[in-house]
Amino acid sequence: MIQRTFWKGYLKLSLVTCPVAMMPAHSESEKVRFHTLNRRTGHRIQSRFVDAVTGKPVADVDEVKGYPKGDDDYVMLEEDEFDAVALDSTRTIDIEVFAPRSSVGWIWYDTPHYLVPDGKIGDEAFSVIREAMKSTRTVGISRLVLYRRERAVLLEPRDKGIVLWTLRYGDEVRDEKDYFAGVEQAKYEPDMRALMEKLVKSRTKNWSPDLVQDPVQDELLAIIKAKEKGRKPVRKTARPASEGNVVSIMDALRRSLEPRK
């Protein structure tokens, strides 16, 4: 199902501008979702905001954002004050710099969106920008206000469109040195690496969405269907964590390369 556009604006590169539309590149609408019920009545349980001191429910009109400045002391910000700091990046993706595609590590990538021209009038400019990035193997870096926050974004050409990724901020990505510094480079036998490479190659396949299916959701749907029909669902027993006592990595590799039964 094609998702409806959730953002419209302009893609700009120097003096070249074109109208564009954006849609989320992923969806969770097909995921199994549950409501929380009262076991005794079967009725749904409602979640409501209540005052932490009085315990009374708070009306929507009385809800306001607060920035903590001390214990139980806040600075309140109204909706019009948030709107007052809206930037040009609210409706314009202005590409000011490009970077080699290979220089941006995957850890910076956050959420993908599909970017397409919004109407025939923008096709030519959109295509020129996309194909220029393809031929130079670069990605565009810009900023855009999404979800009430200005975010760094990366534009990556793909097929006939562009994938726009929101990027994580510098203070959101922890330095890998803090975690990997204590890992020692262990010595291993050359034959061990050869066997490991053989094992990797034997299990290498071309990428397909089928490789990341959700077996838990399939099992939940089977349980739901069985209960709908009044049947008792069949529960599978969990497999043991270990299928045997392997005394060495070399033995484990050799056994792993044996034909699967």
Side-chain angles (χ1 to χ4, degrees):
M1 181 182 296
I2 298 178
Q3 297 190 30
R4 290 187 293 179
T5 300
F6 90 109
W7 182 92
K8 285 189 176 184
Y10 296 90
L11 176 62
K12 180 182 178 183
L13 174 55
S14 189
L15 300 179
V16 180
T17 305
C18 63
V20 289
M22 184 164 57
M23 295 75 65
H26 66 92
S27 170
E28 295 186 355
S29 60
E30 301 300 321
K31 289 290 184 182
V32 175
R33 298 184 182 276
F34 299 93
H35 295 291
T36 303
L37 309 179
N38 183 335
R39 184 191 300 276
R40 295 183 179 181
T41 65
H43 302 158
R44 285 182 59 181
I45 297 174
Q46 292 184 342
S47 297
R48 305 178 69 182
F49 286 105
V50 298
D51 190 295
V53 177
T54 66
K56 295 181 179 179
V58 180
D60 292 347
V61 69
D62 292 325
E63 294 177 13
V64 64
K65 297 287 192 302
Y67 178 83
K69 64 176 183 177
D71 293 339
D72 297 325
D73 191 12
Y74 301 88
V75 177
M76 295 185 184
L77 294 178
E78 303 294 340
E79 290 298 319
D80 59 345
E81 291 174 311
F82 281 104
D83 295 336
V85 297
L87 305 173
D88 291 339
S89 56
T90 302
R91 286 296 170 204
T92 302
I93 306 169
D94 190 355
I95 308 176
E96 295 184 351
V97 65
F98 293 87
R101 170 66 183 84
S102 59
S103 69
V104 186
W106 63 267
I107 200 168
W108 296 98
Y109 287 63
D110 188 10
T111 305
H113 305 76
Y114 290 136
L115 195 67
V116 298
D118 186 21
K120 295 293 183 182
I121 191 173
D123 283 353
E124 185 177 23
F126 184 91
S127 297
V128 170
I129 294 173
R130 181 195 63 219
E131 294 305 313
M133 287 192 291
K134 279 185 182 179
S135 62
T136 57
R137 296 182 180 180
T138 58
V139 291
I141 307 296
S142 184
R143 307 190 73 80
L144 178 64
V145 173
L146 285 177
Y147 316 111
R148 306 212 62 155
R149 182 182 180 188
E150 189 183 51
R151 298 168 181 268
V153 296
L154 177 147
L155 291 89
E156 176 187 8
R158 182 172 301 185
D159 196 24
K160 297 180 180 179
I162 291 174
V163 177
L164 181 146
W165 288 86
T166 57
L167 298 176
R168 295 185 173 92
Y169 288 102
D171 58 359
E172 292 178 334
V173 177
R174 296 173 177 172
D175 192 341
E176 61 191 44
K177 295 179 182 178
D178 295 338
Y179 301 89
F180 299 157
V183 179
E184 296 182 3
Q185 181 64 38
K187 295 182 179 180
Y188 50 81
E189 299 177 24
D191 291 346
M192 189 180 297
R193 176 169 174 173
L195 286 174
M196 181 63 77
E197 290 176 354
K198 185 176 180 181
L199 177 60
V200 170
K201 290 178 180 179
S202 70
R203 299 195 178 189
T204 299
K205 298 180 180 179
N206 290 328
W207 164 255
S208 165
D210 294 337
L211 298 178
V212 287
Q213 287 184 334
D214 186 356
V216 173
Q217 175 158 292
D218 294 338
E219 293 293 331
L220 284 172
L221 288 172
I223 291 173
I224 291 170
K225 289 180 180 179
K227 298 195 77 169
E228 283 179 339
K229 296 180 180 179
R231 299 198 305 264
K232 186 176 181 180
V234 178
R235 298 183 180 180
K236 294 183 178 180
T237 56
R239 287 185 292 181
S242 176
E243 297 181 356
N245 182 23
V246 180
V247 295
S248 72
I249 297 177
M250 190 68 81
D251 289 340
L253 285 169
R254 291 193 179 101
R255 287 181 54 180
S256 297
L257 287 167
E258 293 176 358
R260 298 184 185 181
K261 297 181 181 180

